[in-house]
């Protein structure tokens, strides 16, 4: 497989019936992603058994919806997960986590296909706000900005990178409603006097 080809990519939701097979298939994606130096929660690549077990735990989360991108040979090329907020004040929002593409499959539009599937699902199920965090200065941060995500700020020294150094994370958000947000800086609100409202 090359990183420059444009073979068809199919994006499918993980289901209760497919979860075990998907967890096994995505173990290779996780291992290769960490080995390539991505900051996705691990410093050293996990074993196949550890990776499979981790995916199984994520797929069992009732607030999580995950997708797998496959090549025309059926092999898992990438994945993304949406975590809906379980809090009473957050039924409108979700967090995007673990967008990963196997290093050998990069440059084929896999990440964009996964994000489009997630955002469409979020819209049709009533979510209007998505958040995520990503390694500061990474290619992923550039891609998210290109896809309409807005950076809130940077938390320095957030995670130990596979290289051993400390790296920052950039917090980002995206509104899905297509409507301007209501003014959150109403009199009496927590940040009402901290800064003037600005146009999005």
């Amino acid at each position: 497989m090359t990183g420059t080809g444009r073979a068809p990519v199919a994006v499918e939701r993980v289901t209760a019936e497919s979860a075990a097979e998907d967890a096994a298939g995505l173990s290779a994606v996780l291992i290769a992603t960490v080995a390539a130096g991505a900051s996705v929660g691990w410093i050293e690549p996990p074993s196949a058994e550890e990776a499979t077990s981790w995916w199984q735990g994520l797929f069992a989360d009732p607030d999580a919806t995950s997708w797998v991108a496959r090549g025309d040979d059926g092999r898992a090329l990438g994945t993304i997960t949406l975590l809906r907020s379980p809090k009473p004040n957050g039924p409108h929002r979700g967090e995007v986590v673990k967008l990963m593409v196997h290093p050998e499959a990069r440059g084929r539009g896999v990440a964009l296909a996964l994000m489009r599937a997630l955002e469409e699902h979020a819209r049709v199920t009533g979510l209007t706000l998505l958040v995520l965090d990503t390694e500061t200065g990474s290619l992923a941060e550039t891609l998210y900005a290109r896809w309409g995500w807005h950076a809130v700020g940077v938390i320095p020294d957030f995670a130990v990178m596979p290289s051993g150094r400390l790296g920052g994370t950039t917090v980002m958000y995206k509104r899905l409603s297509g409507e301007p947000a209501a003014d959150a800086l109403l009199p009496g609100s927590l940040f009402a006097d901290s800064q003037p409202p600005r146009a999005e």
Side-chain angles (χ1 to χ4, degrees):
M1 178 190 305
T2 66
T4 59
R6 287 287 179 178
V9 173
V11 176
E12 304 169 351
R13 277 182 62 184
V14 175
T15 65
E17 293 73 25
S18 72
E21 182 178 351
D22 289 334
L26 286 172
S27 66
V29 175
L30 174 55
I31 292 167
T33 299
V34 177
S39 179
V40 291
W42 285 262
I43 298 175
E44 297 291 335
S47 68
E49 293 76 14
E50 290 169 337
T52 298
S53 177
W54 187 87
W55 286 118
Q56 289 172 334
L58 178 62
F59 296 159
D61 184 338
D63 295 316
T65 304
S66 300
W67 290 261
V68 177
R70 305 183 192 283
D72 54 5
D73 60 357
R75 184 160 67 117
L77 304 178
T79 184
I80 195 170
T81 293
L82 172 65
L83 293 177
R84 299 183 74 98
S85 172
K87 298 179 180 180
N89 70 350
H92 63 294
R93 70 178 185 259
E95 181 180 4
V96 178
V97 300
K98 297 298 182 283
L99 172 55
M100 299 182 205
V101 177
H102 195 290
E104 294 181 0
R106 291 173 186 171
R108 296 175 51 184
V110 176
L112 179 57
L114 286 162
M115 184 63 83
R116 283 176 172 166
L118 181 149
E119 290 186 8
E120 178 62 20
H121 174 82
R123 285 188 184 93
V124 301
T125 57
L127 298 189
T128 58
L129 178 68
L130 297 177
V131 297
L132 60 78
D133 69 89
T134 190
E135 180 184 348
T136 302
S138 64
L139 174 61
E141 183 180 6
T142 301
L143 289 176
Y144 294 140
R146 187 184 304 166
W147 298 341
W149 288 76
H150 303 279
V152 176
V154 174
I155 303 173
D157 298 341
F158 184 77
V160 178
M161 311 299 289
S163 65
R165 68 177 176 83
L166 291 176
T169 193
T170 301
V171 179
M172 309 184 81
Y173 75 93
K174 185 174 186 178
R175 291 194 179 99
L176 300 179
S177 64
E179 299 287 338
D183 185 3
L185 302 178
L186 297 173
S189 69
L190 181 60
F191 301 108
D193 298 323
S194 64
Q195 58 185 1
R198 63 181 178 83
E200 288 295 329

